């Protein structure tokens, strides 16, 4: 396994974003809420969050699409509206890259103002070959140089592969390919210490939004989360709140 080393803090928003992943304490993970539009992004920045991470499912819902069905042009346009609205680093969930060649994908992300990206390792519900995916990630890293923070999503748990060793094996390949962070989405929180012990570099963990269940954000950090995101959780909770308001108005 190659050793992960944090990149230098030089130049641009990506460097600022990369530096935010160097946490002073395990109990202080980087919390990245996910706005789906410019208005929400401004609210989150006004609340004091130093960076944001857009959720593809949340943006899809806001644009009237099912998760995974947003056309690339509309996704990049939505990301661009968010980045224009705020002055903090924004990472973009761009699913599996929309079939774009690595160079074009990087160009589109940078044009949209993103400083990082999530990239999935499954398509149409099926896990990709991890070595081929690692080769593709290496091409993305080469095209991006240090201009993007690459968060490599690991979909094993999402696709029913519950053996943590499979996630750790994929993580090693992706880190060796140049990923800045890995994201074993859907991993049971009880497995986080095991995953942390086997993975080099930052680990992204998904959390629920304020439902009072499960470990706190600090506890997730202590178990191994470097950074915490919420997927479409904020958008779905806002939709529930709007539904309740609509019922009262009716």
């Amino acid at each position: 396994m190659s050793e992960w080393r944090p990149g230098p803090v030089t130049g641009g928003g990506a460097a600022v974003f990369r530096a935010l992943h160097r946490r002073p304490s395990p109990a202080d993970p980087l919390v990245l809420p996910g706005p789906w539009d410019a208005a929400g992004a401004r609210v989150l920045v006004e609340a004091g969050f130093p960076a944001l991470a857009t959720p593809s499912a949340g943006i899809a819902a806001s644009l009237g699409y099912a998760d995974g069905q947003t056309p690339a042009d509309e996704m990049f346009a939505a990301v661009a509206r968010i980045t224009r609205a705020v002055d903090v680093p924004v990472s973009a969930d761009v699913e599996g890259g929309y079939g774009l060649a690595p160079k074009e994908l990087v160009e589109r992300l940078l044009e949209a103002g993103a400083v990082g990206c999530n990239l999935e390792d499954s398509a149409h519900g099926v896990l990709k070959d991890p070595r081929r995916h690692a080769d593709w990630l290496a091409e993305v890293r080469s095209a991006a140089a240090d201009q993007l923070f690459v968060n490599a999503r690991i979909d094993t748990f999402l696709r029913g592969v519950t053996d943590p060793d499979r996630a750790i094996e994929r993580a090693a390949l992706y880190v060796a390919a140049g990923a800045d962070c890995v994201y074993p989405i859907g991993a049971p929180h009880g497995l986080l210490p095991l995953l942390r012990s086997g993975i080099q570099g930052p680990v992204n963990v998904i959390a629920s939004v304020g439902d009072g269940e499960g470990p706190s954000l600090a506890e997730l950090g202590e178990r191994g989360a470097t950074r915490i995101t919420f997927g479409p959780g904020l958008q779905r909770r806002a939709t529930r709140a709007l539904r309740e308001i609509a019922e009262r108005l009716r």
Side-chain angles (χ1 to χ4, degrees):
M1 181 187 298
S2 65
E3 182 180 357
W4 181 86
R5 297 180 185 278
V9 186
T10 58
V16 173
F17 189 59
R18 188 170 284 113
L20 287 172
H21 289 75
R22 303 174 193 174
R23 308 309 297 164
S25 165
D28 181 30
L30 174 61
V31 178
L32 297 172
W36 57 96
D37 62 15
R42 285 176 173 153
V43 168
L44 294 170
V45 171
E46 288 168 1
F49 290 98
L52 306 173
T54 68
S56 61
I59 288 178
S62 75
L63 297 176
Y65 294 103
D67 185 19
Q69 299 302 310
T70 309
D73 286 349
E74 293 197 46
M75 183 63 76
F76 287 115
V79 171
R81 288 191 291 272
I82 289 168
T83 63
R84 284 197 300 267
V86 296
D87 59 358
V88 302
V90 177
S91 182
D93 183 346
V94 289
E95 303 174 304
Y98 308 110
L100 299 174
K103 184 174 184 295
E104 183 179 0
L105 175 61
V106 168
E107 289 172 349
R108 296 291 299 272
L109 283 162
L110 295 176
E111 287 170 0
V115 303
C117 60
N118 277 13
L119 295 169
E120 304 170 3
D121 71 348
S122 67
H124 310 296
V126 178
L127 288 166
K128 298 178 181 178
D129 177 89
R131 294 189 180 279
R132 284 201 291 269
H133 186 62
D135 289 342
W136 182 77
L137 287 174
E139 292 183 54
V140 173
R141 166 53 65 215
S142 178
D146 63 352
Q147 297 181 86
L148 287 174
F149 185 99
V150 177
N151 186 35
R153 202 177 90 173
I154 299 171
D155 289 359
T156 51
F157 294 99
L158 199 64
R159 305 306 174 200
V161 180
T162 59
D163 182 353
D165 286 342
R166 302 291 81 77
I168 291 171
E169 289 167 1
R170 285 177 176 255
L173 289 169
Y174 302 163
V175 169
D180 296 285
C181 182
V182 295
Y183 177 16
I185 186 172
H189 291 159
L191 286 180
L192 290 179
L194 176 60
L195 293 171
R196 172 72 281 168
S197 67
I199 293 175
Q200 297 289 323
V203 175
N204 189 135
V205 171
I206 191 169
S208 58
V209 179
D211 58 8
E213 298 181 1
S216 69
L217 301 185
E219 288 168 340
L220 288 175
E222 290 170 343
R223 294 186 189 189
T226 311
R227 74 183 219 177
I228 295 171
T229 54
F230 304 92
L234 284 172
Q235 185 271 330
R236 291 174 180 172
R237 182 159 180 173
T239 298
R240 289 197 299 272
L242 180 59
R243 186 175 293 115
E244 292 170 2
I245 293 170
E247 290 294 334
R248 289 198 296 272
L249 292 174
R250 191 180 65 174

